[in-house]
Amino acid sequence: MIAGNSAIAFNCFPTGQRFCKMSHSETSKLHRLPSQSTLCLATGNGKGDNYFSKAVNGVDDRDGIIIVDHGSRRQESNLMLNDFVAMFREKTKQSIVEAAHMELADPSIKQAFDSCVRQGANRVIVSPFFLSPGRHWNQDIPSLTAEAAKEHPGVPYIITAPLGLHELLVDIMTDRISYCLSHVAGEKDECSVCFGTGKCRLYD
């Protein structure tokens, strides 16, 4: 058990083993624990593990959710995240949901974190709009989130798994393939992703 004011960090990878890195002041240890495949990264941010274990079960209306993507110099790509966040907010009925870009565009993770707290969030859930648990999930997003959280001591946060190997992604990919083939056959208009690009076509 870690003492109440200790920072807690999890880094769990889908390998059949669970690797937990626990930070204790300047000291860190790496433990291998038997577990089912799991993927999460979290911190107590001053609340301690007792608070975090109680709070982590389910999302409530005082949670702030940040959906973060990479960020792009292409404005259309950044605006697509705003559309997804609006869709997420509408479907989940969560009141505090913010978009953030890891780099290259605003709002940043810090700006989104600040906005969540201003709206009354007492816990922040950072959900990466990424497919794989690469360097951005493992290093960059945790670093940027930790920096943002420094200005809000007592507000715990968690960085959830990226989209990863989820069976619903098979349905999404199947839907994309089916729709694009229907467009090529002249049965449907371009989807919102391909609209105006002319890329959804057969190449000889």
Side-chain angles (χ1 to χ4, degrees), residues 14-15 21 32 38 43-45 48-49 53-54 72 76 78 82 88 121 131 138 154 199:
T15 60
K21 183 179 181 183
R32 177 175 293 185
T38 185
T43 178
N45 195 28
D49 61 333
S53 62
K54 292 176 183 176
S72 174
E76 292 87 346
N78 296 325
N82 293 344
F88 183 94
L131 184 61
N138 191 39
K199 292 183 178 298

Side-chain angles (χ1 to χ4, degrees), residues 65-162:
I65 299 175
I66 298 174
I67 300 174
V68 56
D69 70 358
H70 185 280
S72 174
R73 292 186 178 87
R74 186 172 179 267
Q75 184 64 3
E76 292 87 346
S77 298
N78 296 325
L79 291 175
M80 186 177 294
L81 181 65
N82 293 344
D83 292 340
F84 178 79
V85 167
M87 186 189 307
F88 183 94
R89 188 183 293 116
E90 173 64 25
K91 188 164 186 176
T92 64
K93 307 304 179 185
Q94 288 296 127
S95 58
I96 309 175
V97 186
E98 295 292 326
H101 307 291
M102 190 188 73
E103 60 182 8
L104 301 176
D106 288 333
S108 64
I109 290 175
K110 182 183 183 304
Q111 290 169 328
F113 201 111
D114 292 344
S115 180
C116 286
V117 175
R118 280 198 305 270
Q119 294 174 70
N122 56 18
R123 179 176 62 168
V124 174
I125 300 167
V126 180
S127 185
F129 199 53
F130 286 72
L131 184 61
S132 303
R135 180 175 61 85
H136 293 322
W137 176 82
N138 191 39
Q139 298 177 17
D140 300 331
I141 293 174
S143 176
L144 292 167
T145 307
E147 190 64 29
K150 287 180 180 178
E151 297 186 13
H152 306 284
V155 178
Y157 65 91
I158 179 170
I159 300 169
T160 70

